[in-house]
Amino acid sequence: KDMEASLSSDGGGARCLFCDEVVRTAALCWVHMGKQHEFGLDKARSVAPPPFDTYKRMALVNYLRKAEQAAAGGALAAVPGLAADLSFWKDEAFLMPVLDDDLLLFEEDEGDFDADQEAEVGGVYAEEPKVPNSLHAVMDSLGDEVPESAKPASSGQ
C-alpha cells in the first residue's frame, strides 16, 4: 500500500495504523483504533517497556506502519506478538517516520483530548472530561437538558 499518497500534503489528518481511516487529530485516531481494532493508547502502553514516552510511541507507530506495508494482515497481525522485550523499542531506525507529517508521531495524544473530540467519535469518558472552551460547546454537551429560558439570547448577551 502507498499510505503516503493517501494523506494530503497539508497533513490531512491522522491515519489509522490498521485501516484506511483518516481522522482530524491523533487523539481521535487513537480512540478510533481502540474502538475499531482494540488497540488504543491503553493497549500501546501495556505492551511497551516503561515508561511509555514520546520515543516509544514513535517507535511503536513506525513499527506498526512498516508491518502494515510488509505483510498481508499487516499491523493487526503484528499486534499479538508485541512485547516489551522486542528490539524495535530501542532501535533508532524506528524513530524515522514511515509517513511524512504523521500526526501519530508529532501531535500530542490523549493529553490534549477534549470533550468535543470524544463526542465526535461517540466515546465514553474514561476520566472526567475537560471543561469545554466555549459556551456553544457547553450548550451542545447539555443538549435537551437546558430549558429554553436558560439558553443565551441570540443577541450576544
Side-chain angles (χ1 to χ4, degrees), residues 37-79:
H37 309 292
E38 298 180 6
F39 192 84
L41 273 176
D42 288 341
K43 178 70 173 175
R45 286 186 183 104
S46 74
V47 299
F52 187 75
D53 57 14
T54 299
Y55 296 109
K56 292 204 178 82
R57 184 181 72 225
M58 291 173 76
L60 176 65
V61 166
N62 288 319
Y63 175 80
L64 291 173
R65 295 244 188 257
K66 287 181 180 188
E68 184 67 17
Q69 292 176 341
L76 275 176
V79 168

Side-chain angles (χ1 to χ4, degrees), residues 42-110:
D42 288 341
K43 178 70 173 175
R45 286 186 183 104
S46 74
V47 299
F52 187 75
D53 57 14
T54 299
Y55 296 109
K56 292 204 178 82
R57 184 181 72 225
M58 291 173 76
L60 176 65
V61 166
N62 288 319
Y63 175 80
L64 291 173
R65 295 244 188 257
K66 287 181 180 188
E68 184 67 17
Q69 292 176 341
L76 275 176
V79 168
L82 287 174
D85 61 351
L86 294 177
S87 63
F88 81 87
W89 296 110
K90 296 178 184 174
D91 187 340
E92 289 184 15
F94 287 98
L95 297 179
M96 298 300 296
V98 173
L99 296 180
D100 290 336
D101 301 320
D102 190 340
L103 292 184
L104 292 181
L105 300 179
F106 303 111
E107 184 179 289
E108 288 300 313
D109 46 51
E110 70 186 12

